[in-house]
Amino acid sequence: MTTVFRWPTRSESTMYAVPGVRRAERTRRRWCALPPAAATVSPTATPPFALVPAAALSSANHGVAHGWKGNIIRHMSAGSDLGMALERLYETFSRYPLPDKIDVCDHCVAPESVQAARAVPLRALSASVLDSYAWNALSTWGDIEDFKYYLPRLLELLISEELDGFLHADSLTIKVGAYWRDWPQDEKYAVVAVVNAWWWLTLHHYPRDVDVMKMIEIIADNLELDLCDYLAEWESNAGNEAAALHMAWLVEDFPVQSAHGADWYVLLENWIDGSAPARILEDALSFPSSSQVEQDLLRALERHEWWSQRPK
């Protein structure tokens, strides 16, 4: 029987995150399975737009459906094409042209910075030109429509690591998360498709400017997307050395002392406590690319063993 997926409800997410309960006992993979009738394949879908619920297809042009996060596509795979997702993002947000006039705080933003951000077509704007806008967007420079005009290029520059992710990834995605509940459905889909492809790219390249923990915070905290699908995608990349090195970094550096009670954080903590991280690390040890990689993975396995056996 074909299986499709949905975001779990809040009560289900809490169930999965019950302290002391092994992930394998919470669900026997895949996460949040639904009967096949709940979704349909979009005839125009392109990866990562693989499965879209039928209701979302019929209401895509009619504002925001109730519970839109339950209608997000489910598939992230080797076919997750970042270029395709970015192209869709540019196309979707092209409805927001560069305005003739932008409100700017003259005390906070230099006039030459504003002029530079308006001097060339959107896709030609460099990271250095948009750095000032990224700092000041929606506070001292422009409104939400200006933000939507620049958003595709900002995300593209973040993912390509031309725009400093350490400085801007968190603040920009927090701004998206603060406003996008009222955005049209197709705009939300376009942003999530880019996030999905960004996650896939992260799992296949190590290190990354935006590290895996920051990506998790962007997904689960800033954008309030359900984390379980992204963890499932990580699990499906067992044997991928980059994914394993991200895991080794996370196991070594997971900020236990700053733990908090958010559902997604508890879910993550319990997932790390389970068997999936060890399997990801062990599978990559079959053919390590260097002795240093082997040492890093072995050290992370030891760390994970300590973590999983610590007093609960």
Side-chain angles (χ1 to χ4, degrees):
M1 181 175 66
T2 304
T3 301
V4 295
F5 308 99
R6 63 173 169 83
W7 303 111
T9 64
R10 178 172 294 274
S11 61
E12 289 169 336
S13 296
T14 303
M15 174 184 70
Y16 295 151
V18 174
V21 179
R22 296 286 181 179
R23 182 193 58 79
E25 296 170 346
R26 295 195 291 272
T27 177
R28 292 301 300 173
R29 246 352 170 223
R30 307 297 284 167
W31 297 76
C32 314
L34 275 180
T40 184
V41 177
S42 168
T44 59
T46 53
F49 286 81
L51 291 176
V52 182
L57 294 178
S58 62
S59 63
N61 297 318
H62 298 282
V64 180
H66 174 69
W68 69 272
K69 290 174 186 173
N71 296 332
I72 296 292
I73 43 78
R74 314 308 316 133
H75 184 63
M76 291 176 287
S77 72
S80 294
D81 188 323
L82 177 60
M84 198 179 301
L86 285 169
E87 192 63 35
R88 185 184 293 260
L89 187 72
Y90 274 108
E91 179 181 350
T92 302
F93 283 80
S94 65
R95 64 185 60 143
Y96 302 102
L98 180 65
D100 294 332
K101 182 180 179 180
I102 297 180
D103 292 328
V104 177
C105 172
D106 296 334
H107 300 288
C108 308
V109 181
E112 54 268 25
S113 296
V114 177
Q115 184 178 1
R118 299 171 58 85
V120 299
L122 178 63
R123 297 189 193 215
L125 289 170
S126 67
S128 60
V129 166
L130 283 180
D131 183 76
S132 179
Y133 177 77
W135 278 116
N136 294 282
L138 294 174
S139 56
T140 57
W141 186 340
D143 58 18
I144 190 62
E145 293 202 355
D146 306 322
F147 183 68
K148 287 185 175 185
Y149 170 77
Y150 287 113
L151 182 61
R153 185 59 175 159
L154 289 168
L155 289 177
E156 182 178 21
L157 292 170
L158 271 178
I159 296 169
S160 67
E161 302 188 339
E162 297 174 63
L163 190 64
D164 193 322
F166 180 79
L167 296 177
H168 297 301
D170 200 42
S171 62
L172 287 173
T173 54
I174 285 174
K175 289 170 184 176
V176 172
Y179 285 92
W180 75 336
R181 292 179 183 275
D182 297 325
W183 291 6
Q185 196 86 322
D186 62 337
E187 294 177 11
K188 296 174 183 177
Y189 283 154
V191 171
V192 172
V194 169
V195 172
N196 288 353
W198 189 1
W199 177 247
W200 188 91
L201 182 72
T202 299
L203 293 180
H204 286 77
H205 295 84
Y206 180 90
R208 290 283 295 166
D209 188 21
V210 178
D211 63 57
V212 73
M213 187 62 198
K214 179 52 64 180
M215 280 298 304
I216 288 172
E217 291 171 351
I218 287 169
I219 290 163
D221 199 23
N222 298 356
L223 300 179
E224 297 184 352
L225 300 173
D226 197 285
L227 185 58
C228 63
D229 279 341
Y230 296 87
L231 298 180
E233 175 67 9
W234 201 344
E235 290 187 38
S236 74
N237 276 274
N240 170 0
E241 186 173 283
L245 287 170
H246 281 297
M247 182 60 68
W249 180 90
L250 184 63
V251 168
E252 290 282 354
D253 294 277
F254 188 61
V256 182
Q257 300 304 320
S258 62
H260 52 76
D263 288 350
W264 69 265
Y265 194 98
V266 178
L267 186 149
L268 176 63
E269 185 174 8
N270 283 283
W271 182 76
I272 295 175
D273 192 40
S275 60
R279 179 170 60 84
I280 292 169
L281 294 167
E282 289 168 351
D283 286 356
L285 277 168
S286 299
F287 303 99
S289 61
S290 70
S291 59
Q292 183 61 56
V293 167
E294 184 177 25
Q295 291 173 21
D296 291 345
L297 297 179
L298 287 170
R299 185 170 58 250
L301 268 174
E302 293 177 1
R303 175 73 169 175
H304 179 263
E305 183 179 3
W306 169 85
W307 173 271
S308 61
Q309 294 177 1
R310 76 197 188 287
K312 304 300 189 292

